[in-house]
Amino acid sequence: MTRVVVVGSTGSGKTTLARQLSRLLDAFHVELDALNWEAEWTAAPTDVFRQRTQDALKGATWVVDGNYPAVRDLVWPKATTLIWLDYSLRVLMWRLLRRTLRRTLRKEELWNGNRERFSTQFLGRDSLFIWLLRTYWRRRSEFTLALEQPEHYHLEIVILRSPGATSDWLSGLGVT
């Protein structure tokens, strides 16, 4: 594992796993959300996002987390390993609830001054809970089909179906 991409639905723990792997592999961690989101939750223009991603992937070893189709053609061909956190919707909703409560109560800054707000996350049309419900099944189908494509045969694919399986897998790598 020299160049790893971690994918999964909202709330699956992509960033947490990517941080752990980047420490283990002594690799650069690339958080696609940080490259995409500008102040006031404004998405970067696609060409800017793509350039930021290309620049971040110049190193020999890296761990990327994120699902953005706009840069998949930049990330997946260069990756050696793809880790898919394919958790159940129930697990994801619970994890997303815990994470969102923590972030809103602690007013954690995410990227470029952005913070999650209770009103937006639980009541607004931009709610991550609504996003998860709208994208969960589509993303599972999309990843399944994408991984069957010949251009992705070079990838070592690791599919982890529960947080317990992820912990066991990490333990096997020497991460506790």
Side-chain angles (χ1 to χ4, degrees):
M1 289 191 301
T2 55
R3 293 177 307 280
V4 180
V5 59
V6 180
V7 299
S9 291
T10 299
S12 60
K14 296 179 297 293
T15 301
T16 300
L17 179 60
R19 282 186 186 132
Q20 292 172 307
L21 289 173
S22 68
R23 283 192 298 271
L24 175 72
L25 301 172
D26 194 26
F28 184 62
H29 175 218
V30 179
E31 188 175 1
L32 292 179
D33 280 335
L35 301 180
N36 180 63
W37 292 111
E38 297 186 349
E40 301 296 321
W41 293 106
T42 303
T46 301
D47 60 325
V48 171
F49 179 39
R50 287 179 62 81
Q51 186 61 54
R52 289 174 181 167
T53 302
Q54 275 186 313
D55 293 344
L57 300 180
K58 288 184 178 173
T61 60
W62 40 259
V63 180
V64 172
D65 70 79
N67 297 320
Y68 291 87
V71 296
R72 184 176 297 158
D73 65 314
L74 302 175
V75 178
W76 287 28
K78 292 180 180 179
T80 58
T81 306
L82 181 136
I83 301 166
W84 178 11
L85 301 178
D86 185 24
Y87 300 165
S88 72
L89 185 56
R90 181 181 57 81
V91 167
L92 293 172
M93 289 296 264
W94 173 245
R95 292 174 69 120
L96 186 59
L97 176 64
R98 284 191 342 217
R99 182 187 82 181
T100 302
L101 285 173
R102 186 193 76 238
R103 285 179 175 177
T104 56
L105 293 173
R106 293 182 184 171
K107 299 180 181 179
E108 292 179 20
E109 182 176 334
L110 299 175
W111 320 277
N112 301 310
N114 294 314
R115 289 176 169 77
E116 291 180 0
R117 294 185 185 103
F118 185 86
S119 60
T120 306
Q121 293 309 312
F122 291 98
L123 307 172
R125 65 177 174 80
D126 293 328
S127 165
L128 286 177
F129 296 94
I130 293 171
W131 175 256
L132 175 59
L133 291 171
R134 285 184 22 220
T135 61
Y136 178 76
W137 296 109
R138 181 183 71 213
R139 192 164 317 281
R140 290 184 91 203
S141 295
E142 179 183 302
F143 288 154
T144 299
L145 290 173
L147 293 173
E148 292 172 351
Q149 300 306 307
E151 62 265 28
H152 301 129
Y153 286 173
H154 72 284
L155 290 168
E156 176 186 349
I157 299 168
V158 177
I159 301 174
L160 301 166
R161 301 207 188 272
S162 70
T166 302
S167 293
D168 292 346
W169 182 77
L170 281 170
S171 293
L173 297 176
V175 177
T176 56

